[in-house]
């Protein structure tokens, strides 16, 4: 009949729809293969879900560890702040800073530092001898503000340095601590080590040893931190020459000497 497909498959010129080339059909998928594909998809989804849960659990655990550290340090800080404030005998500078140098020195340098601070340790290595030379020459006097915001190690070191200051041996003890500065947050500056450091610079009295072990100056150390915060000090080391803060580029032997020379000229 006109207009019909000779093969009887539909209208003339048309083939029935199929998924492959003319005359071919796709290979059939067995029931076993379909089950395996479904099982593989389920396994992939299960693995994805396990990874998601592990990430969530890891994040929660990390958050809890950080929270525990913060709470622990807050509790320790609270205990320190609750201790009586006992001033070292040489803490006669602004905000009870420890003064080293001649009272008649024409230039005053304020140094805010933390014994656990790596940058403070680097400053001491590069510029510490210059500071000592300027003190010895009578060019400067230094107000040391002992910060302790990096943890219990900082507090122990600052307390021991305060005990050294009380016996007028702050500078040699200060230099000895920085000469053997432990890595930050490795539980350094233990009391026994601090007592040994004291002995190396002639601090062997019972008063010094007891002050180190009992945290005699912990209240003072907390007060210094509080005063520094109120003064706007947000990092260590912070160095001021006649109340003018030095930039990071000036924290070198030449930079410090130039700042001191300028202050002497202007003063």
């Amino acid at each position: 009949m006109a207009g019909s497909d000779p093969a009887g498959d539909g209208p003339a010129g048309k083939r029935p729809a199929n998924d492959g080339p003319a005359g071919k059909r796709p290979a059939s998928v067995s029931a076993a293969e379909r089950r395996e594909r479904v099982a593989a998809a389920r396994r992939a989804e299960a693995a994805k879900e396990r990874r998601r849960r592990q990430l969530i659990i890891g994040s929660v655990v990390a958050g809890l560890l950080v929270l525990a550290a913060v709470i622990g340090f807050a509790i320790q800080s609270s205990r320190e702040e609750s201790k009586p404030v006992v001033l070292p005998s040489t803490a006669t500078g602004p905000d009870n800073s420890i003064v080293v140098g001649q009272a008649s020195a024409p230039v005053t340098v304020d140094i805010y530092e933390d014994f656990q601070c790596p940058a403070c340790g680097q400053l001491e290595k590069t510029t510490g001898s210059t500071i000592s030379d300027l003190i010895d020459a009578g060019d400067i006097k230094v107000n040391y503000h002992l910060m302790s915001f990096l943890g219990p190690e900082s507090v122990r070191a600052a307390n021991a340095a305060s005990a050294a200051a009380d016996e007028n041996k702050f500078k040699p003890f200060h230099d000895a601590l920085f000469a053997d500065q432990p890595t930050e947050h490795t539980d350094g500056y233990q009391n026994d080590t601090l007592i040994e450091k004291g002995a190396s610079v002639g601090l062997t009295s019972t008063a010094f040893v007891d002050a180190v072990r009992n945290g005699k100056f912990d209240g003072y150390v907390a007060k210094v931190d509080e005063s520094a915060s109120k003064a706007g000090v947000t990092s260590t080391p912070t160095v001021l020459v006649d109340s003018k803060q030095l930039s990071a580029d000036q924290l070198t032997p030449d930079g410090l000497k130039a700042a001191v020379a300028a202050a002497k000229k202007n003063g």
Side-chain angles (χ1 to χ4, degrees):
M1 182 181 295
S4 65
D5 188 329
D9 290 326
K14 295 184 179 179
R15 293 193 306 272
N18 60 57
D19 295 328
K24 293 184 179 180
R25 295 181 180 275
S28 61
V29 178
S30 69
E33 288 175 320
R34 286 196 297 272
R35 287 194 296 272
E36 177 56 29
R37 289 180 182 179
V38 171
R42 288 175 177 172
R43 287 195 296 271
E45 185 63 28
K48 182 179 178 181
E49 178 63 17
R50 283 196 300 272
R51 288 194 297 271
R52 187 182 71 83
R53 290 180 180 178
Q54 288 170 351
L55 286 172
I56 292 173
I57 292 171
S59 298
V60 170
V61 170
L64 288 174
L65 289 174
V66 171
L67 180 60
V70 170
I71 291 173
F73 184 60
I75 291 172
Q76 179 65 24
S77 298
S78 177
R79 288 173 179 168
E80 290 154 10
E81 290 170 1
S82 66
K83 290 186 176 181
V85 176
V86 180
L87 300 181
S89 60
T90 56
T92 57
D95 294 329
N96 303 119
S97 51
I98 294 169
V99 181
V100 177
Q102 300 173 20
S104 60
V107 178
T108 298
V109 177
D110 284 86
I111 299 179
Y112 293 81
E113 61 186 3
D114 188 315
F115 285 109
Q116 269 282 271
C117 165
C120 297
Q122 186 61 33
L123 175 67
E124 180 63 23
K125 286 179 182 178
T126 60
T127 313
S129 61
T130 301
I131 294 171
S132 295
D133 289 344
L134 290 170
I135 291 172
D136 293 342
D139 291 327
I140 66 172
K141 65 179 177 183
V142 181
N143 300 323
Y144 284 94
H145 305 258
L146 305 183
M147 306 288 285
S148 57
F149 62 88
L150 291 177
E153 302 97 327
S154 300
V155 175
R156 288 194 294 266
N159 170 68
S162 301
D166 200 45
E167 298 196 20
N168 205 30
K169 285 187 176 291
F170 172 80
K171 192 63 167 64
F173 186 74
H174 164 279
D175 295 352
L177 289 190
F178 273 123
D180 193 22
Q181 183 188 47
T183 302
E184 183 183 357
H185 298 315
T186 56
D187 205 24
Y189 290 134
Q190 292 292 330
N191 287 338
D192 286 343
T193 303
L194 293 166
I195 290 169
E196 290 174 5
K197 283 292 178 186
S200 72
V201 297
L203 284 163
T204 58
S205 70
T206 300
F208 173 77
V209 172
D210 288 347
V212 171
R213 293 203 182 282
N214 300 331
K216 177 180 178 179
F217 296 98
D218 283 354
Y220 162 72
V221 170
K223 185 177 186 298
V224 171
D225 248 359
E226 181 183 358
S227 297
S229 179
K230 289 179 179 178
V233 176
T234 58
S235 63
T236 56
T238 292
V239 180
L240 295 86
V241 175
D242 275 359
S243 301
K244 294 181 180 179
Q245 184 172 342
L246 302 188
S247 66
D249 293 340
Q250 291 177 290
L251 298 181
T252 63
D254 289 341
L256 178 62
K257 286 188 286 188
V260 169
K264 286 176 70 175
K265 182 178 179 181
N266 295 332

